[in-house]
Amino acid sequence: MKTNSTQKKRKATKKQKILAIVGLFGVAVALVLFLVFGIPAIKDHKNSAYNSKYKYDGVSLVGTWQEKENFDDSFYKIYDFRTDGKVITSLYVYGIEAVRDELSTYRIEDQNTLVITYSVGGVIQSSRTKFSISDDKKTLVLRENKTNTVLEAYNLEYNKDASIFGEWTNSENASMKYVFANDYTGTASDEEVTNNIVYSTKNGTLYLFINENIIVPEADYDLKEKYVIPYEYEIENDTLTLKGADGKKVTYQRSK
């Protein structure tokens, strides 16, 4: 005859088995969730080492960079990494933007890989490059096929002389005028024609471009000297003095 105590023990044992099964099931579910979500997350964090798709190890590429090896005052290439994932690539000649690509985008993938997506003839292409940034955040090195491209953080040093802004009239011929706007565009006019210009100033030199000659084909870098007109210049008492390559000086008066 079964006693009450025996029945209670059997009920307790059955309850313990159920709890054990439920517990094992919970452990199994937790393990599956860890395998599905936990390990990839750990692996992604370990291998990717980026805080967002625009950062690597917390270091952002956002900013303006110039190619160090190919840099000189008359010609240089600038990379502008934006916070929205765009990378603007510009070719500058004497401080004036001559060629601009603003359709490319970038992202940072695992193992400090920089991916830039761009269009060539309407065909979307991508380049993948390993990169590193110096501890002082001033040097960016791109590595591709065992070739290093070194870039440095860059601040444009041109376009500082605000005193040249305004309209200037030739002292001897009133039909000859320059207009220098504060966005470094303007016009150059004479008796026959008015040309749109872009310009820059640096260290006492005024650099002028006629708009139709602003495009510098990347295959013709050696032609860069033909696309700019340099003048030495001085401004004193509302008089602008320009000195050309032939040594001749021409004066212009500021229009009131």
Side-chain angles (χ1 to χ4, degrees), residues 205-244:
T205 302
L206 167 68
Y207 301 100
L208 294 178
F209 282 80
I210 305 300
N211 262 8
E212 53 262 38
N213 290 334
I214 193 62
I215 300 301
V216 181
E218 292 202 24
D220 296 328
Y221 289 160
D222 58 319
L223 299 179
K224 59 182 178 288
E225 299 292 346
K226 298 180 181 180
Y227 290 86
V228 64
I229 304 172
Y231 292 99
E232 294 181 25
Y233 79 100
E234 293 180 348
I235 298 175
E236 186 175 358
N237 297 326
D238 288 332
T239 298
L240 169 65
T241 302
L242 300 181
K243 180 181 177 181

Side-chain angles (χ1 to χ4, degrees), residues 128-145:
R128 304 174 69 88
T129 307
K130 297 296 183 181
F131 76 95
S132 61
I133 301 178
S134 63
D135 292 338
D136 60 8
K137 311 298 186 297
K138 292 183 178 180
T139 303
L140 170 64
V141 180
L142 305 179
R143 297 184 298 276
E144 185 174 9
N145 298 327

Side-chain angles (χ1 to χ4, degrees), residues 39-76:
I39 289 180
I42 293 174
K43 183 179 179 181
D44 181 69
H45 176 75
K46 180 180 179 181
N47 293 336
S48 298
Y50 62 84
N51 294 341
S52 78
K53 61 183 177 180
Y54 309 136
K55 293 182 179 180
Y56 171 76
D57 280 342
V59 176
S60 174
L61 291 181
V62 171
T64 306
W65 303 84
Q66 72 177 34
E67 289 186 354
K68 183 177 179 181
E69 284 86 352
N70 297 328
F71 177 80
D72 64 49
D73 236 15
S74 61
F75 165 78
Y76 47 92

Side-chain angles (χ1 to χ4, degrees), residues 61-228:
L61 291 181
V62 171
T64 306
W65 303 84
Q66 72 177 34
E67 289 186 354
K68 183 177 179 181
E69 284 86 352
N70 297 328
F71 177 80
D72 64 49
D73 236 15
S74 61
F75 165 78
Y76 47 92
K77 196 171 185 179
I78 296 294
Y79 299 83
D80 181 9
F81 290 94
R82 304 288 181 87
T83 57
D84 60 359
K86 287 187 176 181
V87 53
I88 311 298
T89 306
S90 301
L91 172 65
Y92 280 81
V93 182
Y94 291 103
I96 298 173
E97 188 177 54
V99 177
R100 179 182 180 88
D101 169 25
E102 54 185 23
L103 299 178
S104 298
T105 60
Y106 77 99
R107 68 180 188 276
I108 295 173
E109 289 190 345
D110 60 331
Q111 299 300 316
N112 62 316
T113 300
L114 172 64
V115 179
I116 295 180
T117 302
Y118 53 94
S119 176
V120 177
V123 179
I124 302 299
Q125 301 184 32
S126 294
S127 65
R128 304 174 69 88
T129 307
K130 297 296 183 181
F131 76 95
S132 61
I133 301 178
S134 63
D135 292 338
D136 60 8
K137 311 298 186 297
K138 292 183 178 180
T139 303
L140 170 64
V141 180
L142 305 179
R143 297 184 298 276
E144 185 174 9
N145 298 327
K146 298 182 179 179
T147 300
N148 287 349
T149 299
V150 181
L151 299 96
E152 291 186 337
Y154 181 64
N155 292 315
L156 199 61
E157 294 297 329
Y158 287 83
N159 303 341
K160 299 297 185 182
D161 188 0
S163 67
I164 201 170
F165 297 162
E167 181 178 309
W168 301 85
T169 302
N170 188 286
S171 301
E172 298 179 357
N173 185 345
S175 66
M176 298 179 64
K177 294 182 179 182
Y178 283 113
V179 175
F180 299 113
N182 60 8
D183 62 353
Y184 299 93
T185 64
T187 59
S189 57
D190 57 23
E191 297 94 337
E192 298 178 354
V193 66
T194 296
N195 286 314
N196 293 322
I197 63 171
V198 289
Y199 72 98
S200 67
T201 59
K202 185 176 183 180
N203 297 332
T205 302
L206 167 68
Y207 301 100
L208 294 178
F209 282 80
I210 305 300
N211 262 8
E212 53 262 38
N213 290 334
I214 193 62
I215 300 301
V216 181
E218 292 202 24
D220 296 328
Y221 289 160
D222 58 319
L223 299 179
K224 59 182 178 288
E225 299 292 346
K226 298 180 181 180
Y227 290 86
V228 64

